[in-house]
Amino acid sequence: MRWPTILMFAAALGALAPATSATENLGDADAGKIVFAKCKGCHQVGEGAKNKIGPHLNGVFGRKAAALEDFKYSKSLVRAGNSGLEWHADTLSAYIENPRAFASGTRMSFAGLKNAEERANVIAYLRIFSDNPRDIPEADPTAKGTDHSVDPEILAIQGDPEYGAYLSSECTTCHQIEGSDEGIPSIVYWPDEDFVIAMHAYKDKQRPHPVMQMIAARLSNDEIAALAAYFKNPE
């Protein structure tokens, strides 16, 4: 198998429950406005919003990642957008939780919102500023959901780095073992848990790249853990 030249995402994605009504809230928008104070140093939203250190967030729902033509995005988010990433409730939640784990190489320095309720609230607030929110398709979840996560028993698997080294030849046809990320994101020296979470995000079809979904689906939990253990410190 050959690994595609695609951004590896290292955060588990928030799997929201299906929408039951276009009027249901993701969370508490009023509370989300307060949470958004943590974002205002870089992002604007609302009437007259402009790009600052980060892009403005008007109309973010349903927008392809890195889609604003007048903002210079990091290469990692450009690759993500080219690979099909769109901003919906689940992907926004995953990104806000840990930006650098979600998209390695992002210039967003924010450490992330670990509290699921705060994420739901700020996303509810941002949704107000998407065009005609009532018309957002039902496929864009509007119901408050639960976080997608990897089973703790899977995360507890101790991978065999020697087995991972054996499996790694199929990965390093694209990813450089010395850590170079020219055109292809580096996957070395990741925390093994981040690597496992990334692969299971593909395995559970939370990430939209069909080739990575196919590759991850063919790997057992032990094989993913072994690769994670090897790439954590391939030396």
Side-chain angles (χ1 to χ4, degrees):
M1 66 181 176
R2 181 177 176 84
W3 288 55
T5 59
I6 181 176
L7 178 68
M8 290 285 290
F9 298 102
L13 301 185
L16 299 186
T20 56
S21 168
T23 62
E24 283 189 289
N25 290 327
L26 296 161
D28 183 335
D30 290 336
K33 183 177 181 179
I34 297 172
V35 177
F36 188 74
K38 300 179 181 181
C39 315
K40 290 173 66 175
C42 296
H43 297 279
Q44 291 186 352
V45 69
E47 185 177 357
K50 298 179 181 179
N51 296 329
K52 298 180 63 180
I53 297 173
H56 74 75
L57 298 176
N58 289 343
V60 68
F61 270 80
R63 191 164 73 201
K64 187 178 79 169
L68 294 180
E69 294 182 359
D70 56 348
F71 184 80
K72 184 174 178 60
Y73 294 91
S74 63
K75 292 180 180 179
S76 60
L77 281 183
V78 171
R79 285 194 296 263
N82 290 339
S83 297
L85 176 64
E86 292 183 348
W87 296 124
H88 303 286
D90 53 353
T91 48
L92 282 169
S93 180
Y95 185 54
I96 294 170
E97 181 179 7
N98 191 334
R100 289 190 178 276
F102 184 87
S104 59
T106 181
R107 293 195 299 269
M108 185 165 168
S109 60
F110 181 57
L113 285 178
K114 308 307 179 186
N115 184 289
E117 184 177 358
E118 286 190 340
R119 294 198 305 275
N121 290 343
V122 77
I123 289 170
Y125 175 65
L126 292 176
R127 189 177 185 274
I128 295 172
F129 303 100
S130 282
D131 293 337
N132 300 317
R134 64 184 180 278
D135 297 329
I136 293 177
E138 289 291 327
D140 271 1
T142 56
K144 188 172 182 179
T146 57
D147 285 348
H148 172 80
S149 60
V150 177
D151 189 324
E153 292 186 3
I154 293 176
L155 292 177
I157 296 173
Q158 297 297 309
D160 180 350
E162 291 186 4
Y163 184 36
Y166 168 75
L167 296 172
S168 70
S169 61
E170 296 178 318
C171 309
T172 54
T173 56
C174 291
H175 296 278
Q176 303 301 308
I177 194 63
E178 72 274 9
S180 170
D181 62 354
E182 293 185 8
I184 303 173
S186 172
I187 58 173
V188 300
Y189 305 119
W190 279 17
D192 48 3
E193 182 172 310
D194 286 354
F195 188 101
V196 171
I197 289 172
M199 291 306 298
H200 279 278
Y202 285 115
K203 194 179 183 75
D204 296 341
K205 297 187 176 180
Q206 298 298 316
R207 293 286 358 112
H209 196 279
V211 177
M212 284 302 301
Q213 290 176 355
M214 177 186 68
I215 291 171
R218 295 201 309 231
L219 291 170
S220 70
N221 294 340
D222 286 334
E223 287 172 331
I224 290 175
L227 286 167
Y230 171 66
F231 281 115
K232 180 180 180 180
N233 187 9
E235 296 178 359

